[in-house]
Amino acid sequence: MKGLIKALFIVPVFILVVVFLAGIFGNKDEKRKKLPRPSIGDMARDFTYPDLQGRDVKLSDFYGKKVVLLNVWATWCTSCKKELPTVQRLYERFKGDDFEVLAVSIDALGKKAVEPFMKKLGLTFPALIDTSGSIQLLYGTTGVPESFIIDKKGRIAYVEIGAGDWTDPEKQALVKGLIDEPDLEVPK
């Protein structure tokens, strides 16, 4: 009988300890939580990913200076294959004019998949590598491609879910209007 009473006391205490420890140590995945997709006017969420040369590129380094087209994509995505040539044309039209493309690939094979794909399609804009797919959690994307135009203040100015045509005159006018805004002093 004593053994039964002891077991009835020890088992719940053990369960409470396990739950408590899981709560403490389980929060390591807090960064892996998917955030809601940012809306127009929201501050863009900063990130740093390596480019194809292995150099780290940080989004906030462009704040105050450039309009950024953030494109989340993958080499295996059929819609991306259709969209990326239009991103290239937008890049060619505005590069050097306070404009940058940051195309974040979520390919698990990273540079091994991205570099030959970019060459094959003649894409010259900066490609960043995110083999973990953390950009999708950070920006709350539901698939690929998804794009965000970020103004010089670092705010979301436009959101495109799915493949867009970046040669569209209205989209180009939006980008041009944002480029024409004066550069800003951004506090560090």
Side-chain angles (χ1 to χ4, degrees):
M1 188 70 158
K2 271 186 171 179
L4 180 62
I5 293 173
K6 200 174 190 182
L8 289 174
F9 175 76
I10 291 176
V11 169
V13 169
F14 178 75
I15 290 171
L16 284 173
V17 169
V18 168
V19 169
F20 176 75
L21 291 174
I24 291 174
F25 295 109
N27 284 338
K28 288 182 180 178
D29 287 338
E30 192 67 27
K31 289 183 178 181
R32 298 290 306 164
K33 249 187 205 175
K34 187 173 190 175
L35 298 172
R37 180 182 291 113
S39 300
I40 293 172
D42 289 350
M43 196 67 188
R45 298 170 187 148
D46 201 14
F47 58 78
T48 303
Y49 295 110
D51 64 14
L52 291 175
Q53 290 71 44
R55 294 179 301 244
D56 282 343
V57 176
K58 186 174 185 176
L59 175 63
S60 61
D61 287 346
F62 297 95
Y63 295 174
K65 302 174 213 135
K66 293 191 180 221
V67 173
V68 175
L69 171 62
L70 166 60
N71 181 267
V72 181
W73 68 285
T75 60
W76 43 262
C77 163
T78 305
S79 298
C80 299
K81 290 175 188 172
K82 293 176 186 171
E83 179 186 50
L84 290 172
T86 71
V87 172
Q88 178 65 32
R89 288 199 282 289
L90 182 73
Y91 178 69
E92 289 170 357
R93 175 162 182 209
F94 292 117
K95 72 178 176 183
D97 290 338
D98 290 352
F99 177 73
E100 191 60 82
V101 169
L102 298 179
V104 181
S105 164
I106 61 164
D107 283 272
L109 293 177
K111 180 179 177 177
K112 205 180 271 187
V114 173
E115 196 166 45
F117 179 88
M118 300 273 299
K119 283 181 182 168
K120 181 180 177 185
L121 290 182
L123 306 174
T124 61
F125 51 77
L128 306 181
I129 306 299
D130 173 21
T131 57
S132 73
S134 64
I135 190 75
Q136 293 181 295
L137 299 173
L138 186 62
Y139 275 79
T141 62
T142 54
V144 286
E146 288 195 29
S147 300
F148 303 84
I149 296 178
I150 301 165
D151 69 15
K152 291 179 184 179
K153 297 175 197 120
R155 299 203 175 274
I156 305 293
Y158 182 82
V159 178
E160 182 83 40
I161 301 168
D165 178 0
W166 295 98
T167 63
D168 176 82
E170 287 183 25
K171 288 181 186 162
Q172 291 202 358
L174 170 66
V175 170
K176 178 71 172 132
L178 294 170
I179 289 170
D180 289 344
E181 290 180 356
D183 291 357
L184 308 165
E185 281 290 321
V186 178
K188 295 276 178 181

mmCIF file of all heavy atoms in Angstrom, residues 7-29:
data_model
loop_
_atom_site.group_PDB
_atom_site.id
_atom_site.type_symbol
_atom_site.label_atom_id
_atom_site.label_comp_id
_atom_site.label_asym_id
_atom_site.label_seq_id
_atom_site.Cartn_x
_atom_site.Cartn_y
_atom_site.Cartn_z
ATOM 1 N N ALA A 7 3.899 5.912 -5.320
ATOM 2 C CA ALA A 7 3.819 6.009 -6.782
ATOM 3 C C ALA A 7 2.824 7.082 -7.194
ATOM 4 O O ALA A 7 3.062 7.833 -8.148
ATOM 5 C CB ALA A 7 3.440 4.655 -7.380
ATOM 6 N N LEU A 8 1.685 7.156 -6.496
ATOM 7 C CA LEU A 8 0.681 8.182 -6.822
ATOM 8 C C LEU A 8 1.214 9.588 -6.576
ATOM 9 O O LEU A 8 0.768 10.549 -7.198
ATOM 10 C CB LEU A 8 -0.601 7.939 -6.018
ATOM 11 C CG LEU A 8 -1.430 6.731 -6.431
ATOM 12 C CD1 LEU A 8 -2.596 6.532 -5.466
ATOM 13 C CD2 LEU A 8 -1.931 6.871 -7.851
ATOM 14 N N PHE A 9 2.137 9.731 -5.680
ATOM 15 C CA PHE A 9 2.754 11.027 -5.423
ATOM 16 C C PHE A 9 3.893 11.308 -6.402
ATOM 17 O O PHE A 9 4.002 12.395 -6.959
ATOM 18 C CB PHE A 9 3.269 11.078 -3.970
ATOM 19 C CG PHE A 9 4.021 12.340 -3.670
ATOM 20 C CD1 PHE A 9 3.344 13.533 -3.472
ATOM 21 C CD2 PHE A 9 5.416 12.338 -3.596
ATOM 22 C CE1 PHE A 9 4.030 14.699 -3.219
ATOM 23 C CE2 PHE A 9 6.112 13.510 -3.330
ATOM 24 C CZ PHE A 9 5.418 14.693 -3.141
ATOM 25 N N ILE A 10 4.757 10.323 -6.650
ATOM 26 C CA ILE A 10 5.952 10.509 -7.474
ATOM 27 C C ILE A 10 5.605 10.718 -8.950
ATOM 28 O O ILE A 10 6.190 11.569 -9.606
ATOM 29 C CB ILE A 10 6.926 9.337 -7.273
ATOM 30 C CG1 ILE A 10 7.501 9.398 -5.853
ATOM 31 C CG2 ILE A 10 8.038 9.357 -8.307
ATOM 32 C CD1 ILE A 10 8.397 8.250 -5.492
ATOM 33 N N VAL A 11 4.665 9.966 -9.480
ATOM 34 C CA VAL A 11 4.334 10.074 -10.915
ATOM 35 C C VAL A 11 3.870 11.486 -11.286
ATOM 36 O O VAL A 11 4.393 12.079 -12.226
ATOM 37 C CB VAL A 11 3.306 8.982 -11.327
ATOM 38 C CG1 VAL A 11 2.766 9.238 -12.716
ATOM 39 C CG2 VAL A 11 3.941 7.607 -11.243
ATOM 40 N N PRO A 12 2.909 12.097 -10.568
ATOM 41 C CA PRO A 12 2.517 13.470 -10.935
ATOM 42 C C PRO A 12 3.663 14.475 -10.781
ATOM 43 O O PRO A 12 3.803 15.385 -11.587
ATOM 44 C CB PRO A 12 1.370 13.800 -9.976
ATOM 45 C CG PRO A 12 0.854 12.492 -9.499
ATOM 46 C CD PRO A 12 2.020 11.545 -9.546
ATOM 47 N N VAL A 13 4.480 14.304 -9.740
ATOM 48 C CA VAL A 13 5.618 15.202 -9.553
ATOM 49 C C VAL A 13 6.590 15.049 -10.735
ATOM 50 O O VAL A 13 7.087 16.033 -11.277
ATOM 51 C CB VAL A 13 6.322 14.939 -8.197
ATOM 52 C CG1 VAL A 13 7.651 15.678 -8.119
ATOM 53 C CG2 VAL A 13 5.409 15.341 -7.050
ATOM 54 N N PHE A 14 6.833 13.815 -11.125
ATOM 55 C CA PHE A 14 7.717 13.562 -12.273
ATOM 56 C C PHE A 14 7.158 14.219 -13.540
ATOM 57 O O PHE A 14 7.894 14.860 -14.282
ATOM 58 C CB PHE A 14 7.886 12.047 -12.473
ATOM 59 C CG PHE A 14 8.740 11.691 -13.652
ATOM 60 C CD1 PHE A 14 10.117 11.843 -13.606
ATOM 61 C CD2 PHE A 14 8.159 11.224 -14.823
ATOM 62 C CE1 PHE A 14 10.904 11.534 -14.697
ATOM 63 C CE2 PHE A 14 8.941 10.912 -15.915
ATOM 64 C CZ PHE A 14 10.317 11.061 -15.859
ATOM 65 N N ILE A 15 5.872 14.074 -13.773
ATOM 66 C CA ILE A 15 5.238 14.681 -14.954
ATOM 67 C C ILE A 15 5.373 16.199 -14.909
ATOM 68 O O ILE A 15 5.696 16.835 -15.920
ATOM 69 C CB ILE A 15 3.758 14.239 -15.062
ATOM 70 C CG1 ILE A 15 3.696 12.747 -15.434
ATOM 71 C CG2 ILE A 15 3.008 15.074 -16.097
ATOM 72 C CD1 ILE A 15 2.313 12.137 -15.358
ATOM 73 N N LEU A 16 5.145 16.800 -13.750
ATOM 74 C CA LEU A 16 5.297 18.255 -13.619
ATOM 75 C C LEU A 16 6.728 18.703 -13.919
ATOM 76 O O LEU A 16 6.945 19.721 -14.576
ATOM 77 C CB LEU A 16 4.885 18.706 -12.214
ATOM 78 C CG LEU A 16 3.383 18.754 -11.941
ATOM 79 C CD1 LEU A 16 3.116 19.053 -10.462
ATOM 80 C CD2 LEU A 16 2.709 19.795 -12.809
ATOM 81 N N VAL A 17 7.702 17.958 -13.427
ATOM 82 C CA VAL A 17 9.102 18.289 -13.685
ATOM 83 C C VAL A 17 9.404 18.208 -15.180
ATOM 84 O O VAL A 17 10.037 19.104 -15.755
ATOM 85 C CB VAL A 17 10.052 17.375 -12.867
ATOM 86 C CG1 VAL A 17 11.489 17.526 -13.325
ATOM 87 C CG2 VAL A 17 9.926 17.686 -11.382
ATOM 88 N N VAL A 18 8.932 17.162 -15.849
ATOM 89 C CA VAL A 18 9.162 17.002 -17.283
ATOM 90 C C VAL A 18 8.521 18.155 -18.058
ATOM 91 O O VAL A 18 9.131 18.746 -18.948
ATOM 92 C CB VAL A 18 8.634 15.630 -17.779
ATOM 93 C CG1 VAL A 18 8.607 15.566 -19.301
ATOM 94 C CG2 VAL A 18 9.486 14.510 -17.210
ATOM 95 N N VAL A 19 7.279 18.508 -17.716
ATOM 96 C CA VAL A 19 6.584 19.607 -18.388
ATOM 97 C C VAL A 19 7.326 20.928 -18.150
ATOM 98 O O VAL A 19 7.514 21.727 -19.068
ATOM 99 C CB VAL A 19 5.107 19.692 -17.922
ATOM 100 C CG1 VAL A 19 4.449 20.981 -18.389
ATOM 101 C CG2 VAL A 19 4.330 18.477 -18.407
ATOM 102 N N PHE A 20 7.763 21.146 -16.924
ATOM 103 C CA PHE A 20 8.506 22.358 -16.592
ATOM 104 C C PHE A 20 9.792 22.455 -17.403
ATOM 105 O O PHE A 20 10.097 23.488 -18.006
ATOM 106 C CB PHE A 20 8.811 22.385 -15.089
ATOM 107 C CG PHE A 20 9.649 23.550 -14.666
ATOM 108 C CD1 PHE A 20 9.105 24.823 -14.579
ATOM 109 C CD2 PHE A 20 10.997 23.388 -14.356
ATOM 110 C CE1 PHE A 20 9.874 25.903 -14.193
ATOM 111 C CE2 PHE A 20 11.776 24.455 -13.970
ATOM 112 C CZ PHE A 20 11.212 25.722 -13.888
ATOM 113 N N LEU A 21 10.557 21.371 -17.452
ATOM 114 C CA LEU A 21 11.820 21.371 -18.200
ATOM 115 C C LEU A 21 11.578 21.530 -19.700
ATOM 116 O O LEU A 21 12.337 22.219 -20.388
ATOM 117 C CB LEU A 21 12.615 20.097 -17.905
ATOM 118 C CG LEU A 21 13.183 19.986 -16.486
ATOM 119 C CD1 LEU A 21 13.824 18.617 -16.276
ATOM 120 C CD2 LEU A 21 14.173 21.105 -16.208
ATOM 121 N N ALA A 22 10.532 20.924 -20.199
ATOM 122 C CA ALA A 22 10.198 21.085 -21.618
ATOM 123 C C ALA A 22 9.875 22.536 -21.925
ATOM 124 O O ALA A 22 10.233 23.059 -22.980
ATOM 125 C CB ALA A 22 9.032 20.176 -21.997
ATOM 126 N N GLY A 23 9.210 23.194 -20.992
ATOM 127 C CA GLY A 23 8.894 24.611 -21.177
ATOM 128 C C GLY A 23 10.133 25.477 -21.210
ATOM 129 O O GLY A 23 10.258 26.395 -22.003
ATOM 130 N N ILE A 24 11.085 25.183 -20.361
ATOM 131 C CA ILE A 24 12.323 25.954 -20.317
ATOM 132 C C ILE A 24 13.182 25.695 -21.549
ATOM 133 O O ILE A 24 13.627 26.605 -22.218
ATOM 134 C CB ILE A 24 13.125 25.637 -19.027
ATOM 135 C CG1 ILE A 24 12.403 26.189 -17.810
ATOM 136 C CG2 ILE A 24 14.544 26.191 -19.114
ATOM 137 C CD1 ILE A 24 13.049 25.807 -16.492
ATOM 138 N N PHE A 25 13.427 24.425 -21.828
ATOM 139 C CA PHE A 25 14.337 24.082 -22.913
ATOM 140 C C PHE A 25 13.653 24.030 -24.269
ATOM 141 O O PHE A 25 14.308 24.077 -25.293
ATOM 142 C CB PHE A 25 15.046 22.759 -22.620
ATOM 143 C CG PHE A 25 15.940 22.853 -21.413
ATOM 144 C CD1 PHE A 25 15.605 22.210 -20.231
ATOM 145 C CD2 PHE A 25 17.099 23.604 -21.461
ATOM 146 C CE1 PHE A 25 16.417 22.315 -19.120
ATOM 147 C CE2 PHE A 25 17.922 23.710 -20.350
ATOM 148 C CZ PHE A 25 17.578 23.065 -19.169
ATOM 149 N N GLY A 26 12.361 23.964 -24.294
ATOM 150 C CA GLY A 26 11.623 23.930 -25.558
ATOM 151 C C GLY A 26 11.570 25.274 -26.236
ATOM 152 O O GLY A 26 11.272 25.375 -27.413
ATOM 153 N N ASN A 27 11.868 26.355 -25.544
ATOM 154 C CA ASN A 27 11.813 27.681 -26.140
ATOM 155 C C ASN A 27 12.956 27.957 -27.096
ATOM 156 O O ASN A 27 13.020 29.013 -27.692
ATOM 157 C CB ASN A 27 11.766 28.754 -25.048
ATOM 158 C CG ASN A 27 10.398 28.840 -24.423
ATOM 159 O OD1 ASN A 27 9.411 28.428 -25.030
ATOM 160 N ND2 ASN A 27 10.332 29.347 -23.204
ATOM 161 N N LYS A 28 13.869 27.016 -27.253
ATOM 162 C CA LYS A 28 14.944 27.195 -28.227
ATOM 163 C C LYS A 28 14.369 27.313 -29.631
ATOM 164 O O LYS A 28 14.958 27.921 -30.499
ATOM 165 C CB LYS A 28 15.927 26.033 -28.164
ATOM 166 C CG LYS A 28 16.794 26.052 -26.929
ATOM 167 C CD LYS A 28 17.773 24.913 -26.941
ATOM 168 C CE LYS A 28 18.636 24.956 -25.703
ATOM 169 N NZ LYS A 28 19.563 23.851 -25.648
ATOM 170 N N ASP A 29 13.200 26.710 -29.854
ATOM 171 C CA ASP A 29 12.566 26.774 -31.165
ATOM 172 C C ASP A 29 11.717 28.024 -31.330
ATOM 173 O O ASP A 29 11.049 28.181 -32.335
ATOM 174 C CB ASP A 29 11.698 25.530 -31.398
ATOM 175 C CG ASP A 29 12.535 24.300 -31.652
ATOM 176 O OD1 ASP A 29 13.703 24.463 -32.065
ATOM 177 O OD2 ASP A 29 12.037 23.184 -31.435
#
